[in-house]
Amino acid sequence: MVSDHDEMSDSDSARVTIKDVARAAGVSIATASKALNDRGRMMVETRQRIRDVAASLGFMPNAMARALVSQRSFTIGLLTNDTYGRFTLPVAAGLSEALIDRGVSVFLCAFEDDAERAAINLRSMQEKRVDGLVIAGKRIDRGLPIDLPRLPMPVVRVYSLCRDDEIGFVPDDLEGARSAVNHLIACGRRRIAHITGPTSFHAVRLRAEGWTEAVEAAGLPLLAGPQFGDWSEAFGYASGERLLTLPASERPDGVFCGNDQIARGLIDALTLGGVRVPDDVSVVGFDNWEVFAKATRPPLTTVDMGLNELGRQAGLTLLDLVAGKPVVPGVRRLACRLVVRSSCGTRPL
Amino acid sequence: MVSDHDEMSDSDSARVTIKDVARAAGVSIATASKALNDRGRMMVETRQRIRDVAASLGFMPNAMARALVSQRSFTIGLLTNDTYGRFTLPVAAGLSEALIDRGVSVFLCAFEDDAERAAINLRSMQEKRVDGLVIAGKRIDRGLPIDLPRLPMPVVRVYSLCRDDEIGFVPDDLEGARSAVNHLIACGRRRIAHITGPTSFHAVRLRAEGWTEAVEAAGLPLLAGPQFGDWSEAFGYASGERLLTLPASERPDGVFCGNDQIARGLIDALTLGGVRVPDDVSVVGFDNWEVFAKATRPPLTTVDMGLNELGRQAGLTLLDLVAGKPVVPGVRRLACRLVVRSSCGTRPL
DNA sequence: CTGAAAGCGCTTACAG
DNA sequence: CTGAAAGCGCTTACAG
């Protein structure tokens, strides 16, 4: 049987309270509190002695007691419907990293798109008195399947739909797309196609717009326009097979794909059909999902959305809000970053 | 400026305390508490009236106050060094789903293999008085980069090294491997190879053992023995190219791969070399990482480790421990499940 | 410079 | 059946 944790020795830190520290140091509780929190004025030796005693006793302040009086729990909730964390995980990593240094911990509430579970999680966060909420989604044009009835705490959104009076962080898809296309152009490509996901996604429309703008700005042809499909490797593969049926003169020499999976499928089909990447066709992806991007043959040049940074910024902004600092509402579009690998060949200097 | 959350109306639920409920219902605080917690004896009408009042006021009990007196925070910590969540995310999903129904929330503490950050997170969990800790890793033969100095709360491990006197949950790699090989045999394969990760992983050794046992039990040849390499698609691809150089008679007709990425690379190389999967060679993977397994051409038959269930069980066991129930120490190996897709052909009935 | 007291929002014996 | 009181572990004015 396992019960180590309740056969406590005297040094059991969880049970040491500030009262024990005060007694051991021969001071009052109030003084102990002040010494440990570096507040008020007192003799340096007294302060140091109290701290030494606390350390030797293994004292750890009870955050819940502290929260009760300070009305700050030093916790926040991360609500997401992205259970498998394709987007949320990098966001969560950036978020907690930024917050842990400030003593705040994050509750992870992930639920499939199930309104009831969402409500349970939300209620739980309210009872636990989180200082704020980060709401993270898996697309920028959808909210979560809960309405948030005037929550009594600040909310920040990440990679999710965001009303004008709310605060949100999303990647700058438009600029990311432009940089992908400009890279293809810099690599000497002139016939640049765009193969991407379903038009119902706002991200798809933004990326297509970026493609259009950059292609037109360079005075190049828009070819057949963006090819919309779904986000899968299978669609990329099918698109590749279609390109193979084109006469070589009508084939694009560069393809900007809406995500890495499409790019992967496309490259596989081209390779199998004897078209060389990047020699014959350059390909750029979107997402920098490393497990895909690095494993593609050749490794994929792709656009990184900076999800980590999105999480970090969201966390810091939420903290500002909690502290009562004024924050301008609206959505922030954070810069994407092109990660160059080998699928476009070398950019001429 | 955004500050909705502090322009509170009277119905602001976060500020409604049990005192408000008691006053509005015309009873004492103690009575209100009893009514809301369904404890003690009292007139049903009184109880109901108090509840109605609480509901109409939007009362939500302050979990921290409650925790302070009950000495139970109804939170647990999930400590992991698997920042990108390949393993931890399914575990976390299973864990929180099992716990949310019991009112317990989970703190996510992910850190790269960085002892200092680990220590900060651990300390934070202790100050927040989590009821217990789940420690999740990314391999079954390594602990986290922290030593856990006799923690004052129960600990359960998932997908991580586990001492005999601790409690841990891991997948049954041995049996999972056997079931993969037996499936190949049932599909009529006789020359079954094993291509897998580095021998330094205990999981690799267990899976190789399962392969050996199942192959020998069927009276089939062990061929060249397991081919150890790394976990990458690139290694799978190189292995496929090597198989292509073999005379057809010496080629395996079935391959059990140590993970899905190796299987993916292998299949790509075979396909490119004109060897058909599953017609000429059947392939089974390990992990059921859906984004890979489903996108492979053909879709991959593979072993699912049941990480969700691992998380669920870990959560429930941790709750037992918290409740003081005796739990037999040691590591539990949970069954894996073969997910049949198309990479092995049809199993003859 | 230090301490006694009140209070954060609850629950739990214990009286009535 | 109901309520007054003590207490969970802290912090924060406020006195001394």
Side-chain angles (χ1 to χ4, degrees):
Chain A
M1 302 300 115
V2 169
S3 49
D4 272 12
H5 55 282
D6 37 45
E7 298 157 7
M8 311 284 198
S9 65
D10 291 338
S11 70
D12 167 24
S13 51
R15 294 278 153 82
V16 175
T17 77
I18 198 173
K19 196 190 279 185
D20 301 317
V21 175
R23 190 178 332 113
V27 296
S28 75
I29 292 179
T31 302
S33 173
K34 255 173 300 192
L36 296 172
N37 292 303
D38 215 356
R39 238 186 288 278
R41 323 231 108 269
M42 65 195 300
M43 293 181 359
V44 277
E45 308 90 69
T46 314
R47 198 185 291 278
Q48 194 51 54
R49 182 166 47 84
I50 294 174
R51 290 192 164 167
D52 291 346
V53 168
S56 74
L57 256 38
F59 171 69
M60 296 204 184
N62 183 324
M64 329 206 73
R66 196 190 281 230
L68 203 54
V69 18
S70 67
Q71 301 283 41
R72 279 267 273 122
S73 66
F74 289 90
T75 64
I76 66 136
L78 174 59
L79 244 57
T80 179
N81 61 347
D82 177 31
T83 358
Y84 280 83
R86 166 72 192 83
F87 298 108
T88 294
L89 224 88
V91 170
L95 181 70
S96 18
E97 195 171 327
L99 297 191
I100 190 67
D101 290 325
R102 288 154 178 90
V104 357
S105 305
V106 6
F107 283 117
L108 177 67
C109 301
F111 45 88
E112 299 291 340
D113 290 273
D114 161 354
E116 195 190 345
R117 261 199 141 55
I120 295 178
N121 276 290
L122 185 57
R123 187 180 179 95
S124 179
M125 290 301 93
Q126 293 190 255
E127 295 192 349
K128 263 140 187 159
R129 297 297 191 264
V130 292
D131 295 330
L133 230 39
V134 172
I135 306 218
K138 42 190 177 188
R139 49 190 290 188
I140 58 175
D141 49 8
R142 291 279 186 282
L144 289 197
I146 14 169
D147 36 49
L148 305 171
R150 291 183 72 62
L151 256 23
M153 73 273 273
V155 172
V156 166
R157 292 176 181 273
V158 179
Y159 213 83
S160 150
L161 186 62
C162 172
R163 290 196 324 255
D164 284 347
D165 59 336
E166 299 176 317
I167 296 169
F169 293 84
V170 298
D172 190 343
D173 287 291
L174 189 65
E175 180 54 34
R178 277 197 213 104
S179 72
V181 174
N182 286 333
H183 179 72
L184 287 168
I185 294 171
C187 290
R189 302 309 174 169
R190 319 264 79 180
R191 301 177 48 75
I192 299 172
H194 183 36
I195 300 179
T196 185
T199 45
S200 60
F201 280 69
H202 189 213
V204 165
R205 300 194 298 275
L206 286 169
R207 292 170 198 174
E209 196 179 325
W211 170 78
T212 305
E213 286 182 11
V215 166
E216 287 189 328
L220 299 176
L222 287 173
L223 300 188
Q227 307 296 306
F228 301 107
D230 58 60
W231 291 120
S232 69
E233 260 193 76
F235 172 63
Y237 192 86
S239 302
E241 289 184 318
R242 198 177 43 70
L243 292 189
L244 291 171
T245 67
L246 260 38
S249 63
E250 287 178 27
R251 211 134 62 197
D253 58 5
V255 183
F256 166 44
C257 295
N259 77 356
D260 289 347
Q261 286 162 278
I262 292 174
R264 170 75 194 257
L266 176 76
I267 291 178
D268 281 359
L270 292 178
T271 304
L272 218 49
V275 170
R276 294 163 308 163
V277 175
D279 305 48
D280 302 325
V281 179
S282 291
V283 177
V284 182
F286 206 105
D287 277 355
N288 192 28
W289 193 354
E290 295 206 342
V291 77
F292 272 99
K294 286 185 172 167
T296 300
R297 286 170 296 274
L300 197 60
T301 290
T302 182
V303 178
D304 188 303
M305 298 192 285
L307 295 171
N308 238 281
E309 180 64 14
L310 243 36
R312 217 180 64 83
Q313 298 266 355
L316 297 178
T317 303
L318 187 54
L319 251 31
D320 282 346
L321 248 19
V322 170
K325 295 187 194 154
V327 175
V328 181
V331 46
R332 279 93 163 130
R333 305 192 172 277
L334 266 51
C336 296
R337 183 175 54 90
L338 187 76
V339 177
V340 177
R341 295 199 179 87
S342 335
S343 61
C344 294
T346 348
R347 176 209 292 255
L349 293 184
Chain B
M1 301 298 117
V2 168
S3 50
D4 272 13
H5 56 280
D6 39 42
E7 298 157 8
M8 311 282 199
S9 66
D10 290 339
S11 70
D12 168 22
S13 52
R15 294 279 152 83
V16 176
T17 77
I18 199 174
K19 194 191 277 184
D20 302 316
V21 174
R23 188 178 333 110
V27 296
S28 76
I29 292 179
T31 302
S33 172
K34 256 175 297 192
L36 296 172
N37 292 305
D38 215 357
R39 240 186 286 278
R41 323 234 108 267
M42 65 194 302
M43 294 185 353
V44 276
E45 307 90 69
T46 314
R47 198 185 290 277
Q48 193 53 52
R49 181 166 48 83
I50 294 173
R51 290 192 164 167
D52 291 345
V53 168
S56 74
L57 255 40
F59 171 68
M60 296 204 183
N62 183 325
M64 327 205 75
R66 198 190 279 231
L68 204 53
V69 19
S70 68
Q71 301 282 41
R72 279 267 272 122
S73 66
F74 288 90
T75 64
I76 66 137
L78 174 60
L79 242 58
T80 179
N81 61 346
D82 177 30
T83 357
Y84 280 84
R86 165 74 192 84
F87 297 109
T88 295
L89 224 88
V91 169
L95 180 70
S96 19
E97 195 170 327
L99 297 190
I100 189 70
D101 291 324
R102 289 156 178 86
V104 356
S105 305
V106 5
F107 283 118
L108 178 67
C109 301
F111 45 88
E112 299 291 342
D113 290 272
D114 160 354
E116 194 190 345
R117 256 193 148 61
I120 296 178
N121 276 290
L122 184 58
R123 187 181 178 94
S124 178
M125 291 301 93
Q126 292 189 256
E127 294 192 349
K128 261 134 189 164
R129 297 295 190 264
V130 293
D131 295 330
L133 229 40
V134 172
I135 306 219
K138 42 191 176 187
R139 49 190 291 188
I140 58 176
D141 48 9
R142 290 278 187 283
L144 289 196
I146 13 167
D147 37 48
L148 306 171
R150 290 184 72 62
L151 256 23
M153 73 272 274
V155 171
V156 166
R157 292 177 180 271
V158 179
Y159 213 83
S160 150
L161 186 61
C162 172
R163 289 197 323 256
D164 284 346
D165 59 337
E166 299 177 316
I167 296 170
F169 293 84
V170 298
D172 189 343
D173 287 291
L174 188 66
E175 180 54 33
R178 279 198 211 104
S179 73
V181 174
N182 286 332
H183 179 72
L184 287 167
I185 294 172
C187 289
R189 302 308 175 168
R190 319 265 79 179
R191 299 177 49 75
I192 299 172
H194 183 35
I195 300 177
T196 186
T199 45
S200 60
F201 279 70
H202 189 213
V204 165
R205 299 193 300 273
L206 285 170
R207 291 170 199 174
E209 196 179 326
W211 170 76
T212 306
E213 286 182 12
V215 166
E216 287 189 329
L220 299 176
L222 287 174
L223 301 188
Q227 306 297 307
F228 301 106
D230 59 61
W231 291 120
S232 70
E233 261 191 67
F235 172 61
Y237 192 86
S239 303
E241 289 184 320
R242 199 178 40 71
L243 291 189
L244 291 170
T245 66
L246 259 39
S249 63
E250 286 178 28
R251 210 132 65 196
D253 58 5
V255 183
F256 166 44
C257 296
N259 78 356
D260 290 348
Q261 285 162 278
I262 292 174
R264 171 73 194 259
L266 176 75
I267 291 178
D268 281 0
L270 292 177
T271 304
L272 218 49
V275 170
R276 295 163 307 163
V277 175
D279 306 50
D280 302 325
V281 179
S282 291
V283 177
V284 182
F286 206 106
D287 278 354
N288 192 28
W289 193 355
E290 296 206 341
V291 77
F292 272 99
K294 286 185 172 167
T296 300
R297 286 169 297 273
L300 196 61
T301 291
T302 181
V303 178
D304 188 302
M305 298 192 284
L307 296 171
N308 239 280
E309 181 64 14
L310 242 36
R312 219 180 64 82
Q313 297 266 357
L316 297 178
T317 303
L318 187 55
L319 252 31
D320 282 348
L321 248 20
V322 170
K325 295 187 195 155
V327 175
V328 181
V331 46
R332 281 92 163 131
R333 304 192 173 276
L334 268 50
C336 295
R337 184 174 54 89
L338 187 76
V339 177
V340 177
R341 295 200 179 87
S342 334
S343 61
C344 294
T346 350
R347 176 210 294 256
L349 293 183

